[in-house]
Amino acid sequence: MVDSAQLIPVARAAQVLEISRERVRELVHGGRLEAIRIGRELLVDARSVEHRKSVVKPAAGRPLSARMAWGFLWSLSGHHPAWTSPSSVVLPPLVTTAPI
């Protein structure tokens, strides 16, 4: 049960989490944030917002699309994927070890 003293509006939760209001609603509907609806107002549990902020760390950058992921794998295997431009596939520097 959510304590009414710990309820904040979606806009405030979005500000605290540094995400959009729509993303807060998605998290609520997905069960990742606790909230209750009072009339037309959706109020989020401040404790669940603080917990998410302190525990869940977003990954850096955007995830690769399937097209770019396959292009990356092809590039790593020494092939040039025809469906990507050279500037769109960025390869990390190869780690080399000295022969033993």
Side-chain angles (χ1 to χ4, degrees), residues 92-100:
L94 294 176
V95 177
T96 58
T97 58
I100 298 176

Side-chain angles (χ1 to χ4, degrees), residues 26-45:
E26 289 172 3
L27 291 172
V28 168
H29 294 298
R32 294 189 180 113
L33 285 177
E34 292 183 39
I36 61 170
R37 184 171 297 279
I38 299 177
R40 296 189 66 184
E41 184 85 21
L42 183 63
L43 298 173
V44 183
D45 181 25

Side-chain angles (χ1 to χ4, degrees), residues 2-3 20 24 34 40 50-51 53 59 68-69 71-72 81 88-89:
V2 177
D3 181 13
S20 70
V24 170
E34 292 183 39
R40 296 189 66 184
E50 287 302 320
H51 175 74
K53 184 176 180 178
M68 292 307 295
F72 185 69
S88 65
V89 178

Side-chain angles (χ1 to χ4, degrees), residues 2 7 10 16 37 50-51 61 68 75-78 80 82 90 93 95:
V2 177
L7 297 175
V10 169
V16 169
R37 184 171 297 279
E50 287 302 320
H51 175 74
M68 292 307 295
S75 295
L76 285 176
S77 64
H80 174 70
V90 178
V95 177

Side-chain angles (χ1 to χ4, degrees), residues 37-75:
R37 184 171 297 279
I38 299 177
R40 296 189 66 184
E41 184 85 21
L42 183 63
L43 298 173
V44 183
D45 181 25
R47 290 174 300 195
S48 69
V49 170
E50 287 302 320
H51 175 74
R52 183 162 182 89
K53 184 176 180 178
S54 65
V55 173
V56 177
K57 303 296 179 200
R62 291 174 49 176
L64 291 175
S65 66
R67 180 178 146 264
M68 292 307 295
W70 282 111
F72 185 69
L73 289 174
W74 271 51
S75 295

